[in-house]
Amino acid sequence: MANYNMNRIASNNAQVCKDGACYDNLDISSYDTTVRAFQWDGTSGRTELCDGTDYDYNTGEGTLTAESDFQVCINAWQTAYDAEQQAIADAQAEAEAETP
């Protein structure tokens, strides 16, 4: 199972990492705005909470019991990963096309 973590910058902006591969400026606007960060170890996780407006101030902690608890973040990470992989494939195809 994958390890994930998230650090929210603003209500709709976060860094999401999967197994150490991180993407910044991901739109997680539909994720609970009172979660400012989380860590998931593949089987369970914990959250750092906030008031939903000040993401620098921790107001408590919570738990995660399933990946579905943060599916929005998984989807945002996967979209960024897929876009990066497509850009790499496109660049490689272009380079190969230019090679005589």
Side-chain angles (χ1 to χ4, degrees):
M1 300 203 80
N3 294 309
Y4 288 93
N5 63 50
M6 181 275 291
N7 293 299
R8 188 185 296 265
I9 310 305
S11 64
N12 64 343
N13 184 346
Q15 177 188 67
V16 179
C17 303
K18 177 183 177 183
D19 295 332
C22 301
Y23 294 98
D24 296 325
N25 303 314
L26 299 184
D27 181 0
I28 60 164
S29 55
S30 60
Y31 189 58
D32 181 355
T33 58
T34 64
V35 177
R36 72 182 201 107
F38 71 73
Q39 299 79 39
W40 175 260
D41 68 8
T43 57
S44 65
R46 67 179 198 84
T47 62
E48 296 176 15
L49 304 174
C50 67
D51 66 5
T53 60
D54 182 356
Y55 300 103
D56 293 324
Y57 182 70
N58 189 354
T59 61
E61 294 186 354
T63 59
L64 298 169
T65 58
E67 287 185 354
S68 60
D69 293 343
F70 56 94
Q71 189 65 49
V72 168
C73 298
I74 293 172
N75 293 348
W77 184 93
Q78 190 66 52
T79 298
Y81 176 82
D82 291 347
E84 178 183 59
Q85 294 304 305
Q86 186 62 55
I88 291 168
D90 290 349
Q92 184 176 17
E94 183 178 326
E96 289 172 1
E98 292 175 355
T99 304

